[in-house]
Amino acid sequence: MKMTSLKLTNFRGYKDTIEISFDELTVFVGKNDIGKSTILEVLDIFFNDGKGAIKMDKGDINKQAFSEGNSETVISVCFTELPADIVIDTAYPTTLAEEYMLNQQNELEIIKRYRNGGSVKVFLKANHPTNVNCADLLLKKNTELKAIIREQGIECENLNINAIMRRAIWEHYSDDLQKQEVEIDASKEDAKKVWDKLCTYLPIYSLFQSDRKNSDGDNEVQDPLKEAVRQILSDEELQTTLNRISVEVQTKLQEVSNRTLDKLREMAPDVANSLNPVIPSAESLKWADVFKNVSISGDGDIPINKRGSGVKRLILLNFFRAEAERRLETSNSTNVIYAVEEPETSQHTINQQLLADAFKLLGAAANTQVILTTHSATIVKQLDYINLRMITCGTDGCRLVQQLSPGILHYPSLNEVNYIAFSEITEEYHDELYAFLEFHQWLGDYRQGRAQLPYTRLYNNGTTQNEQHILAVYIRHQIHHPENHLNPRYTQIQLQQSIEEMRNYILTRAAQEGVWTLHP
């Protein structure tokens, strides 16, 4: 199953309903404390029911909504690539489409409603029959379905299987189903059976946070192997061969460890060579907590959490590099969503580039999705626009999540994304804006009425010439002629000023001429 979208209402900084789309690789950018990590954490609550890294409580309710009397948080997630069949009656397969359990977009939409940050109720939003004669059939008992069939004189081949009776009733009223989107309570009768079955198909959601406690039980580096255990043991074929599972898990864990350390060795061979995977022997394992103690430890069994944060993060992130290769080689992998906060933490620029490549590769693997938050311009520059989601705060204080598209330059410029997301002031972005003015032959008009600075031009023969240029040209000359030291170097403040002036001009000129739809 592939997650396609999230709708979130009344959770922390998200008061009003907001909808976010997801791809194989989705990266959230924005300023600090804008709500990037909130998205990853609310998905952890949804998928892991408070048994993962995050537990919901009353403090998660949006403060303004709570003061207005609204204490209900709603998390809704949509899925595609659904299981072909679902068996809810003994040995009789049915489908979500036949049970009218898909929404109007033919997606599975699961809604979880939380009251006062506590108890949860699950609903399935479906484009479902509402004709009173054939509505709510999933919530009816076997005797109730039989009564409908007998009272209405409906032909049915088997009165012992609920799915067959529902199908017969819906076919009888096929010309008058009166389908509408409704919320089906997943806690009752066959709707509960469907939900229980669906739970076995939901992706494993693994959240790796950027800030973890530093204690002997710290899971920051143990988590890669623990997540591997979760995926391995969820494999249906392995569940049927418990007498051999110990050996198979050991083998696969060794593979995960070796791949991670092999990748680590490419970045830091001295660190990699000092590490060894620690996996309990098969004879000592119990099925309740088979691989509870798996970890990667240093020489002398020193817990890895005692090492520096950069080393711990290296091991964790090379797990993802190794997983990218493994999952590309495995066609029947378990559905997994990897959510990683700020993967650039404690990493050199070169490592950040390697990680960006690894996450792109991992997202391309079958049955795999990757969600990131980042403050790294280095990572963003290696992504495509389709991967990026910008989180901002509107004038009314509400959070906005936008899928990024070409902005004022009207072509994919990740320098522009970094300027908008992180206020990154770069010579590269200045050059792009300047070239854009030249391309549209707007530079002449842009020069008019702007203050000029004295500039000394240096020719190849050593002669000079005194000139006057506006700030944008002054900076442009210095960028492209670093060998000329005859002029005061422009400041970062001047670079920012020039970028803002060119952006404002382009926005105004484009609006006047109706050149394109703007995304400033």
Side-chain angles (χ1 to χ4, degrees):
M1 290 170 60
K2 175 184 176 181
M3 178 174 64
T4 59
S5 65
L6 161 72
K7 293 177 186 174
L8 178 62
T9 308
N10 194 10
F11 185 82
R12 299 183 188 171
Y14 296 89
K15 175 180 179 288
D16 300 324
T17 301
I18 191 165
E19 184 170 2
I20 303 168
S21 64
F22 291 89
D23 296 294
E24 284 75 14
L25 172 62
T26 305
V27 181
F28 291 95
V29 297
K31 297 180 179 180
N32 286 327
D33 201 32
I34 199 67
K36 301 186 297 297
S37 297
T38 296
I39 302 301
L40 273 58
E41 291 178 3
V42 82
L43 288 172
D44 185 74
I45 291 171
F46 177 90
F47 283 103
N48 294 321
D49 294 320
K51 299 176 183 177
I54 306 298
K55 294 178 175 59
M56 179 178 285
D57 58 41
K58 196 171 183 178
D60 288 318
I61 302 171
N62 179 272
K63 298 298 185 285
Q64 182 180 347
F66 187 77
S67 67
E68 295 172 358
N70 181 6
S71 60
E72 183 179 66
T73 297
V74 184
I75 308 172
S76 173
V77 179
C78 291
F79 298 89
T80 57
E81 300 181 12
L82 307 173
D85 297 314
I86 290 183
V87 177
I88 55 178
D89 283 303
T90 304
Y92 184 82
T94 184
T95 69
L96 293 172
E98 289 174 345
E99 298 289 347
Y100 295 102
M101 301 197 75
L102 304 179
N103 64 17
Q104 290 182 346
Q105 290 71 45
N106 287 320
E107 296 178 327
L108 172 64
E109 184 168 352
I110 301 169
I111 301 173
K112 293 191 175 184
R113 297 182 175 274
Y114 299 82
R115 298 293 298 177
N116 290 311
S119 60
V120 60
K121 290 202 68 173
V122 180
F123 299 86
L124 303 176
K125 189 172 184 178
N127 193 31
H128 202 72
T130 62
N131 182 331
V132 293
N133 295 305
C134 60
D136 299 327
L137 297 188
L138 281 162
L139 307 183
K140 296 187 182 300
K141 299 177 181 179
N142 180 272
T143 54
E144 295 174 300
L145 293 172
K146 287 179 180 178
I148 294 174
I149 286 175
R150 288 166 180 160
E151 290 170 4
Q152 301 299 323
I154 299 172
E155 292 186 7
C156 182
E157 63 188 56
N158 191 326
L159 297 181
N160 295 316
I161 298 177
N162 292 358
I164 293 178
M165 288 192 286
R166 283 193 297 272
R167 184 178 304 173
I169 296 170
W170 282 326
E171 288 179 354
H172 182 76
Y173 292 100
S174 59
D175 294 332
D176 190 28
L177 291 174
Q178 301 175 26
K179 289 191 293 182
Q180 295 180 27
E181 280 199 332
V182 298
E183 292 186 7
I184 301 173
D185 188 341
S187 66
K188 299 178 180 178
E189 299 304 328
D190 280 357
K192 183 180 186 304
K193 294 180 182 178
V194 171
W195 169 240
D196 290 342
K197 193 67 176 181
L198 286 174
C199 286
T200 65
Y201 291 100
L202 289 176
I204 294 174
Y205 184 85
S206 299
L207 173 60
F208 297 85
Q209 296 173 287
S210 62
D211 52 346
R212 291 177 180 269
K213 61 184 180 179
N214 186 20
S215 66
D216 289 343
D218 189 0
N219 287 331
E220 181 168 4
V221 182
Q222 297 176 7
D223 267 356
L225 298 191
K226 290 182 183 296
E227 294 305 328
V229 170
R230 280 215 297 167
Q231 295 175 41
I232 293 164
L233 293 182
S234 67
D235 184 274
E236 188 171 348
E237 181 178 349
L238 291 180
Q239 290 179 2
T240 64
T241 57
L242 294 181
N243 60 322
R244 305 195 318 266
I245 197 68
S246 298
V247 175
E248 292 193 44
V249 171
Q250 276 191 307
T251 301
K252 291 178 183 292
L253 279 174
Q254 190 70 48
E255 178 185 351
V256 171
S257 302
N258 290 342
R259 284 179 180 270
T260 300
L261 295 177
D262 286 343
K263 289 299 177 183
L264 177 61
R265 194 167 287 108
E266 295 174 9
M267 291 185 181
D270 54 332
V271 174
N273 292 334
S274 70
L275 301 175
N276 296 291
V278 176
I279 304 174
S281 63
E283 293 76 15
S284 66
L285 300 178
K286 296 181 180 179
W287 292 114
D289 53 355
V290 183
F291 286 91
K292 185 172 66 174
N293 298 320
V294 297
S295 67
I296 297 178
S297 296
D299 292 339
D301 294 332
I302 298 173
I304 198 65
N305 66 292
K306 300 301 183 183
R307 305 293 290 270
S309 60
V311 172
K312 291 190 293 184
R313 200 67 173 169
L314 270 175
I315 296 170
L316 172 63
L317 295 175
N318 279 280
F319 162 75
F320 292 112
R321 298 182 68 217
E323 276 294 274
E325 290 187 358
R326 185 184 71 83
R327 294 184 72 83
L328 282 173
E329 297 169 1
T330 306
S331 59
N332 60 345
S333 300
T334 304
N335 287 282
V336 175
I337 300 174
Y338 293 111
V340 188
E341 279 189 280
E342 301 175 18
E344 69 274 10
T345 301
S346 305
Q347 299 307 303
H348 186 273
T349 300
I350 295 176
N351 289 356
Q352 293 183 36
Q353 293 171 346
L354 290 171
L355 290 171
D357 290 339
F359 285 126
K360 289 163 67 175
L361 190 65
L362 187 56
N367 306 319
T368 311
Q369 289 179 272
V370 179
I371 308 173
L372 308 177
T373 67
T374 186
H375 289 283
S376 169
T378 299
I379 288 178
V380 168
K381 285 179 181 177
Q382 295 190 210
L383 304 175
D384 297 321
Y385 271 96
I386 192 173
N387 304 133
L388 296 170
R389 306 291 185 273
M390 170 81 78
I391 303 181
T392 57
C393 189
T395 55
D396 57 358
C398 293
R399 298 293 192 270
L400 303 173
V401 181
Q402 298 170 300
Q403 182 165 335
L404 286 175
S405 57
I408 67 170
L409 297 181
H410 202 58
Y411 66 83
S413 166
L414 294 176
N415 288 315
E416 186 167 84
V417 171
N418 286 330
Y419 175 84
I420 298 171
F422 311 128
S423 300
E424 185 185 48
I425 309 300
T426 63
E427 293 177 342
E428 291 88 351
Y429 188 39
H430 188 280
D431 263 358
E432 285 190 278
L433 292 167
Y434 190 95
F436 192 81
L437 291 173
E438 283 188 316
F439 177 79
H440 286 279
Q441 299 181 350
W442 291 348
L443 191 56
D445 181 67
Y446 179 73
R447 296 174 190 260
Q448 299 300 315
R450 297 184 184 275
Q452 297 192 335
L453 301 172
Y455 180 82
T456 302
R457 183 185 292 272
L458 176 64
Y459 291 98
N460 291 335
N461 61 9
T463 61
T464 61
Q465 177 178 318
N466 294 327
E467 301 174 349
Q468 294 283 325
H469 294 299
I470 65 171
L471 182 59
V473 178
Y474 184 88
I475 293 174
R476 170 84 165 186
H477 283 342
Q478 289 203 349
I479 292 173
H480 288 269
H481 298 285
E483 73 283 355
N484 183 353
H485 300 288
L486 301 177
N487 303 281
R489 183 68 177 175
Y490 64 83
T491 67
Q492 191 71 3
I493 292 176
Q494 287 177 312
L495 180 61
Q496 180 176 359
Q497 176 188 340
S498 184
I499 287 175
E500 290 176 352
E501 288 177 351
M502 286 191 286
R503 279 176 55 86
N504 290 335
Y505 176 85
I506 294 171
L507 285 167
T508 302
R509 184 71 179 265
Q512 290 172 347
E513 300 188 11
V515 177
W516 57 76
T517 301
L518 298 176
H519 303 274

